[in-house]
Amino acid sequence: MKIFHTENGKEVVYVQMQDIMYLLNETDIPIPATIFTKVFTGVIIVDDSNRFEFVRFDEEHEVELFKDLKFIIDFDQYKSLTDEHLEEEGKKLATQANEIAKKWNGMTEEERKQNSFLYDDHRNLGYMIKFLAEIYDVKHGKRTMPFPDFIKLPEKPKKKLFQFFRRKKM
């Protein structure tokens, strides 16, 4: 997940460790050295205890890189969506992934080599769906994340309390 913010008149981006690891391990996208130096000071092991932590990037080329990476979910685009809209977004992504899979499965080995980007696109769509589910969980209090201080989470919808009244016997 990524979060863009303006600080002292300059745009910055906060990106979760899990996304940075996905970028490094699952894509062929060149990573600027500045990202490495900000993230990997010493030995870092990313696991469940720190995968949701955010790292701040403030250099213009870093911000632009993360703007271009559509498979890393922008929290601001989804945080205020209703459950129904989140589900719709997930279904759209699943439909795209299924269309890619159908196309991929119909290809010969040679066609797959020539269209390897489809495999990457399919994997990235699955990654996005996974993080839509994380946003849903955050909104419903099932998951907590160490958001930067400026983030204000939308309030959970309050459950309506129903009272049942018994008629008095006359």
Side-chain angles (χ1 to χ4, degrees):
M1 203 177 313
K2 59 188 172 186
I3 302 170
F4 294 93
H5 190 244
T6 302
E7 297 174 2
N8 300 321
K10 184 178 178 182
E11 188 172 31
V12 299
V13 63
Y14 291 79
V15 182
Q16 288 183 313
M17 288 295 292
Q18 179 164 319
D19 296 313
I20 295 164
M21 295 308 295
Y22 181 84
L23 186 60
L24 292 171
N25 295 323
E26 301 294 330
T27 73
D28 295 330
I29 297 169
I31 309 300
T34 56
I35 291 176
F36 277 104
T37 58
K38 287 179 183 170
V39 175
F40 301 107
T41 53
V43 176
I44 300 291
I45 297 173
V46 178
D47 62 11
D48 283 343
S49 70
N50 65 354
R51 69 186 180 113
F52 293 125
E53 289 180 8
F54 286 88
V55 179
R56 182 181 180 273
F57 299 99
D58 57 1
E59 294 188 34
E60 188 175 332
H61 68 278
E62 297 166 339
V63 173
E64 290 304 315
L65 170 70
F66 287 109
K67 275 186 181 178
D68 292 340
L69 298 175
K70 301 302 180 203
F71 59 86
I72 298 178
I73 294 286
D74 184 345
F75 182 67
D76 288 332
Q77 290 181 348
Y78 297 96
K79 70 179 179 185
S80 297
L81 294 183
T82 64
D83 291 350
E84 292 78 18
H85 283 115
L86 270 176
E87 185 178 344
E88 285 175 25
E89 289 297 315
K91 285 180 180 179
K92 284 181 197 175
L93 295 173
T95 298
Q96 291 174 13
N98 289 335
E99 289 170 0
I100 290 171
K102 186 176 179 180
K103 188 174 188 177
W104 180 265
N105 290 335
M107 291 181 173
T108 64
E109 285 298 319
E110 186 58 37
E111 290 171 324
R112 288 179 182 176
K113 287 178 187 174
Q114 295 171 359
N115 294 285
S116 62
F117 67 91
L118 288 174
Y119 179 82
D120 296 336
D121 289 350
H122 185 270
R123 185 181 61 237
N124 291 343
L125 287 167
Y127 188 74
M128 292 172 73
I129 291 168
K130 179 179 170 180
F131 267 86
L132 284 181
E134 295 289 355
I135 290 173
Y136 177 89
D137 287 349
V138 165
K139 288 177 66 171
H140 289 274
K142 296 178 182 180
R143 161 92 56 213
T144 58
M145 291 190 184
F147 285 107
D149 292 338
F150 61 86
I151 290 294
K152 303 294 179 241
L153 294 175
E155 286 188 30
K156 289 190 295 187
K158 293 179 181 169
K159 293 182 182 180
K160 293 181 181 177
L161 297 175
F162 293 97
Q163 293 183 352
F164 296 95
F165 295 98
R166 294 182 186 220
R167 288 188 176 186
K168 291 183 180 179
K169 293 184 182 178
M170 303 262 180

